[in-house]
Amino acid sequence: QVQLVESGGGLVQAGGSLRLSCAASGRTFSNYAVGWFRQAPGKEREFVARCSTGSRITDYAGSVKGRFAISRDNAKNTVYLQMNSLKPEDTAAYYCAAGYNSRSPSTYPYWGQGTQVTVSS
């Protein structure tokens, strides 16, 4: 089974940058696509970015396209989300996930506990 632990969240000012990391364990991690999702209190969990097993295919939500970048290092069992030009509306708990490569949270059976990102005006 795959276990995921996010880190790197925090409080940043608008326009700043932050890099989230997701450390994965499990011998079959490289067989799964990975994704980043976010959820604010009282709102639905939404897709942010995804990456195929070999990083050949990446996909981003329109709200973050051009500002965020997902990457993975299978040798290190680590997934990253580089976040640039942050906006207050990016404030949310961010989750990494492993599973089937899609935009739907329902196709990802493995999830981390989340890391909070707060962007001030």
Side-chain angles (χ1 to χ4, degrees), residues 58-107:
T58 58
D59 184 38
Y60 299 91
S63 59
V64 306
K65 186 176 177 63
R67 299 189 297 119
F68 292 8
I70 186 173
S71 62
R72 67 186 295 173
D73 188 335
N74 287 337
K76 297 180 179 179
N77 281 356
T78 303
V79 184
Y80 304 97
L81 184 68
Q82 180 65 48
M83 310 163 70
N84 299 321
S85 301
L86 285 163
K87 305 174 181 179
E89 50 263 45
D90 294 320
T91 297
Y94 283 71
Y95 300 86
C96 64
Y100 185 75
N101 193 18
S102 82
R103 289 187 167 196
S104 175
S106 65
T107 68

Side-chain angles (χ1 to χ4, degrees), residues 105-121:
S106 65
T107 68
Y108 293 82
Y110 305 109
W111 292 83
Q113 292 297 116
T115 184
Q116 180 67 36
V117 172
T118 302
V119 184
S120 61
S121 300

Side-chain angles (χ1 to χ4, degrees), residues 13-94:
Q13 62 183 18
S17 298
L18 203 62
R19 188 180 74 164
L20 306 183
S21 298
C22 177
S25 62
R27 67 183 71 177
T28 61
F29 169 71
S30 62
N31 294 331
Y32 295 95
V34 296
W36 284 95
F37 298 80
R38 65 188 183 187
Q39 187 170 22
K43 298 183 179 180
E44 296 292 322
R45 185 167 298 186
E46 66 174 348
F47 165 77
V48 175
R50 59 178 175 142
C51 182
S52 62
T53 56
S55 300
R56 180 168 172 266
I57 304 297
T58 58
D59 184 38
Y60 299 91
S63 59
V64 306
K65 186 176 177 63
R67 299 189 297 119
F68 292 8
I70 186 173
S71 62
R72 67 186 295 173
D73 188 335
N74 287 337
K76 297 180 179 179
N77 281 356
T78 303
V79 184
Y80 304 97
L81 184 68
Q82 180 65 48
M83 310 163 70
N84 299 321
S85 301
L86 285 163
K87 305 174 181 179
E89 50 263 45
D90 294 320
T91 297
Y94 283 71

